[in-house]
Amino acid sequence: MKANISTVVGALYEPEDARRDSGFTTFYMGINIGGALGPLVCGGLGNWLGMRYGFAAAGIGMLVAMCTFLYGQKFLGDRTSPPNPEALRRKLLPGITREWAIYGCALLLVVLVWQALNVYALASGTLLWFAAGLGLFVMYFSIFRCQPLERDRMLVVATLIVFAIIFWSLYMQMFGSLTLFSDRLVDRDLFGVEIAASQLNGLPSVFVITLAPVLSFLWFWLAKRHLNPNIPVKFALSLVLVGLAFMMPSLGQSFSDDGMRISLFWFVMIFVLMVIGELCQAPISMSMITKLCPRRVLGMMMGAYFVSLAIGSIVAGELAARFTQVAQRADGSLVDAGAALDTYASAFFAFGGIAICFGLMLYLLSPFLYQHMHDRDETHGDSFILRFYRGVGLCS
């Protein structure tokens, strides 16, 4: 679902359409409207009536979404049609076409994944091996099954997906170590009312909804002036922004009155910077894949991008477990809040430094990646590093 709906959005735009990045940013805003409403509706029903009603509401929501798509499909023309319908109608076994075989394998895969998710070590290990195999297949396909232009573009996409794993490894701290940090070491009092740490997790979706139109307009405004940053530069910017977000707890600690908790302002700033970084990366990634990858592997490459998010989530958990452990009592309270704040602030500062270093590395590589994208989009402006490389003869 996630991979294919994204490729449909990409099909709405011609390859050189300057509105593509803005369109995906608007699409991403729509995703986060669901991300904001889902916890309110399903979580509320789960708390008030029982968890079964919360899960049922999620299922009903997906059913309504499918009906909406089927009704609106007439407005999409042939953009949702398979590239080779004849191949789907080909019979593999008596009475079984390739299309129905795919449906059957998909249902079987649901059962297998359902069972694997009951064992975290099995699920995470299997996913890592699957990601490695997928990466090797993408390399093989790019080198041996693509024309030179397609090959260059596929390898650029694969490289940026690797950097996306680094981004998600840090961004996903939002739902792990940062949630615990906000619960333990953030002053969540707002005008005399204490906000629950779980409620703060709704802020990222709210910020996406409010900031996505701003960035969508910004990309379009810059594109009309031929100043729109190219895709690798936007990726680099996303890593730098998430790195700066992790610097906020250290700043908050330096302004803390008691050295035990930081102000809510500094914690909210973490989310603001992370969300701006997310908007520089996630919708741009989907736009990039639909623009650069051959149509015959669009769904697979979009799926590979979502695999990067899953791998990032696993790495995020490992990072949090290794570097944000603090001493606590049996009831969960902290033994020494000051020492715990030092542990979190220093770990987050290190995470931020890593992100900024990778962001700068990608920025230095961006001219070479952009060159191999073979992108004739004249709305992109030349970055400082590209002009520098051209000046010294390193890049055309």
Side-chain angles (χ1 to χ4, degrees):
M1 166 91 181
K2 292 182 72 173
N4 284 287
I5 198 68
S6 301
T7 60
V8 170
V9 174
L12 299 176
Y13 302 93
E14 296 301 322
E16 309 304 328
D17 196 326
R19 299 172 298 172
R20 178 182 292 268
D21 286 357
S22 297
F24 268 98
T25 303
T26 304
F27 167 66
Y28 201 69
M29 179 183 69
I31 293 173
N32 279 273
I33 292 175
L37 292 178
L40 291 176
V41 175
C42 300
L45 289 173
N47 287 329
W48 300 329
L49 301 177
M51 294 306 295
R52 74 176 93 178
Y53 295 97
F55 280 101
I60 292 170
M62 288 186 280
L63 182 61
V64 170
M66 181 58 68
C67 292
T68 302
F69 179 78
L70 293 175
Y71 170 79
Q73 197 168 359
K74 59 187 177 184
F75 301 111
L76 299 173
D78 61 352
R79 294 179 176 89
T80 60
S81 302
N84 190 356
E86 295 77 14
L88 290 175
R89 289 193 287 267
R90 191 175 302 146
K91 287 188 177 182
L92 297 180
L93 295 171
I96 301 178
T97 63
R98 175 174 291 183
E99 181 177 4
W100 282 101
I102 291 172
Y103 297 153
C105 290
L107 287 173
L108 177 61
L109 189 61
V110 169
V111 176
L112 293 176
V113 172
W114 172 26
Q115 296 301 316
L117 288 175
N118 290 316
V119 185
Y120 169 75
L122 175 63
S124 59
T126 301
L127 184 59
L128 290 171
W129 281 108
F130 173 78
L134 179 60
L136 291 174
F137 178 78
V138 169
M139 294 294 291
Y140 161 78
F141 184 88
S142 303
I143 295 171
F144 297 105
R145 302 286 297 277
C146 290
Q147 299 298 320
L149 186 144
E150 291 179 335
R151 178 199 63 212
D152 288 353
R153 288 178 166 180
M154 285 283 288
L155 292 177
V156 168
V157 170
T159 300
L160 291 176
I161 286 177
V162 172
F163 279 95
I165 294 175
I166 299 166
F167 175 87
W168 291 118
S169 298
L170 298 170
Y171 181 91
M172 285 301 168
Q173 298 297 329
M174 187 183 291
F175 307 107
S177 61
L178 281 171
T179 298
L180 292 174
F181 177 73
S182 66
D183 184 51
R184 297 164 168 174
L185 298 164
V186 174
D187 181 3
R188 290 174 278 104
D189 183 82
L190 184 65
F191 305 117
V193 178
E194 185 173 74
I195 303 172
S198 59
Q199 290 178 302
L200 292 176
N201 279 341
L203 285 177
S205 288
V206 172
F207 289 144
V208 168
I209 294 167
T210 54
L211 293 175
V214 177
L215 263 73
S216 181
F217 173 79
L218 177 62
W219 301 144
F220 188 62
W221 184 83
L222 290 172
K224 289 203 298 184
R225 288 156 180 79
H226 307 285
L227 296 173
N228 192 17
N230 62 57
I231 290 171
V233 170
K234 288 176 180 176
F235 263 72
L237 181 59
S238 73
L239 285 165
V240 171
L241 285 167
V242 80
L244 293 175
F246 277 108
M247 302 296 178
M248 293 299 107
S250 294
L251 276 175
Q253 185 181 28
S254 65
F255 285 98
S256 174
D257 293 330
D258 56 8
M260 302 292 184
R261 294 193 298 177
I262 69 168
S263 166
L264 182 62
F265 168 81
W266 296 106
F267 188 78
V268 171
M269 283 303 299
I270 297 175
F271 284 170
V272 171
L273 290 169
M274 280 189 164
V275 165
I276 298 175
E278 179 186 4
L279 289 171
C280 289
Q281 194 264 104
I284 304 305
S285 297
M286 293 184 280
S287 173
M288 168 190 70
I289 290 168
T290 60
K291 182 178 184 178
L292 299 182
C293 295
R295 189 183 178 192
R296 62 188 184 276
V297 291
L298 270 184
M300 182 191 74
M301 292 305 294
M302 195 66 72
Y305 171 71
F306 287 117
V307 168
S308 76
L309 194 153
I311 300 301
S313 299
I314 293 174
V315 176
E318 294 297 326
L319 288 174
R322 290 176 182 274
F323 299 107
T324 62
Q325 291 296 314
V326 294
Q328 55 186 16
R329 300 182 181 90
D331 61 358
S333 61
L334 297 173
V335 174
D336 186 337
L341 182 57
D342 288 338
T343 298
Y344 273 105
S346 60
F348 290 156
F349 192 87
F351 293 168
I354 292 170
I356 291 173
C357 287
F358 276 108
L360 293 176
M361 180 192 305
L362 181 55
Y363 182 69
L364 294 175
L365 291 173
S366 62
F368 304 106
L369 294 172
Y370 182 61
Q371 183 174 334
H372 285 83
M373 285 169 56
H374 303 285
D375 190 355
R376 296 183 178 87
D377 189 347
E378 296 180 356
T379 66
H380 290 311
D382 290 346
S383 62
F384 169 80
I385 193 66
L386 178 56
R387 292 196 297 270
F388 174 77
Y389 283 165
R390 282 175 177 165
V392 298
L394 288 176
C395 195
S396 61

